[in-house]
Amino acid sequence: MEKDGKASKIIEAAKLYYLLDFTQSEIAKKLGVSRPTVSRLLQQAKAEGIVQIKINDPTEEVEKLSKELENNFRLKKALVTSVPAYEEHLIKNYLGGATAEYLNQIVKDDDIIGVTWGTTLYHVAIELKQKFVRNVQVVQLKGGVSHAETNTYASEVLYLFGKAFNCTPHHLPLPAIVDHVVVKQAMEQDRHIRAIMDLGKQANIAVTTLGSVKKDSLLFKMGYFTEADLKSLNQEAVGDICSRFFDQNGLICNQDLNERTLGIALEALKGKEHALLVAGGADKINGIYGALMGNYANTLITDQFTARFLLDKLAKNEQENSLT
């Protein structure tokens, strides 16, 4: 076989095998050579770089992003899960499964698990598998009684967490936000309410999500806010955790509203052994960034698209700060 003829046979065999899915026997018949010859031609195609095989492993990308998030945002743990499309319902499904699996790994005897509510936490709750642990307690971290006909999934989340970890959950049967500070103070004087709120402070695991500042977000549908509240939030807030709103630097942005909020304070999340923030999606990027700037989570569970946007945002802000 002449040199040029052999080269053309190598290329033809490679195209038939790798592009057109011919078997080696079919190629042998088509080229008029033996099957072992086809095998040698294909091996030579790889050896000479005519064929280059690249395997795109999505786990490599998410592991790399996880490490970058941990290093750049000083996180104890970052879990990046690969989602097939950047769509809210898909993201919540995937994050729910990833968070449930992680909780199954870390929950142990005598843990106190604080949970919030909402659709993301509901996706976590329905994915939980039962784990046989002793003396675990589950407690609601913020009020969830709505002034409107809006399902917060608070009861479902607590029930499913309690079922997974073999306990009766502690409900906080209050609204998230009240109209006057004195009303909040009066509620907190009740010894039963105070005991539940104290348990939330003691929780070593907190599972929270992030609310976006949009009129169609769950918290905004619940009838808590005055027009003045809404105006203030739209000007400064990038998101909320436990119904406490903060700006892009993680600073509380409406102190009056914060003082009327019933539930765990953001400062109390900083001391948790595991402070999980479960969030992803285009509407959540700025809020997650603000939460991480405020150190309100030491564990982030998100998707690969949001992870990349967060890292790009951090790099951009650091570059702008270095120029000023």
Side-chain angles (χ1 to χ4, degrees), residues 74-208:
R74 301 180 303 282
L75 293 166
K76 181 176 184 176
K77 183 76 175 175
L79 286 172
V80 177
T81 186
S82 182
V83 299
Y86 206 38
E87 296 173 9
E88 187 177 348
H89 71 284
L90 276 175
I91 292 168
K92 287 180 179 180
N93 282 337
Y94 278 79
L95 295 189
T99 306
E101 186 178 333
Y102 184 62
L103 284 168
N104 192 264
Q105 293 172 25
I106 65 169
V107 172
K108 60 190 185 304
D109 292 352
D110 302 314
D111 279 343
I112 303 173
I113 308 168
V115 299
T116 56
W117 41 255
T119 53
T120 300
L121 263 290
Y122 180 62
H123 278 87
V124 174
I126 59 177
E127 295 289 344
L128 287 170
K129 292 180 174 63
Q130 191 163 21
K131 184 172 185 179
F132 294 98
V133 283
R134 295 180 181 179
N135 198 35
V136 166
Q137 297 185 77
V138 172
V139 60
Q140 188 176 340
L141 291 177
K142 66 170 182 173
V145 175
S146 175
H147 297 315
E149 292 180 5
T150 302
N151 188 3
T152 65
Y153 297 98
S155 296
E156 293 92 332
V157 168
L158 285 163
Y159 167 75
L160 290 168
F161 266 81
K163 183 181 176 186
F165 301 114
N166 312 301
C167 65
T168 302
H170 300 273
H171 292 253
L172 190 61
L174 302 172
I177 300 166
V178 292
D179 288 340
H180 302 285
V181 175
V182 290
V183 176
K184 174 190 170 181
Q185 291 169 341
M187 288 177 172
E188 288 178 339
Q189 290 303 308
D190 180 90
R191 62 189 173 93
H192 301 289
I193 297 297
R194 192 165 62 248
I196 293 168
M197 294 182 74
D198 285 345
L199 191 63
K201 291 176 187 175
Q202 295 165 31
N204 63 306
I205 300 173
V207 189
T208 68

Side-chain angles (χ1 to χ4, degrees), residues 278-290:
V278 186
D283 292 331
K284 305 288 181 76
I285 295 165
N286 290 335
I288 298 169
Y289 185 88

Side-chain angles (χ1 to χ4, degrees), residues 72-73 248 286 289 308-324:
N72 286 279
F73 289 99
Q248 63 182 345
N286 290 335
Y289 185 88
R308 176 49 58 200
F309 282 126
L310 287 169
L311 291 163
D312 289 347
K313 184 176 176 68
L314 180 64
K316 182 182 177 183
N317 285 350
E318 286 179 343
Q319 184 179 21
E320 288 175 354
N321 290 336
S322 69
L323 296 174
T324 55

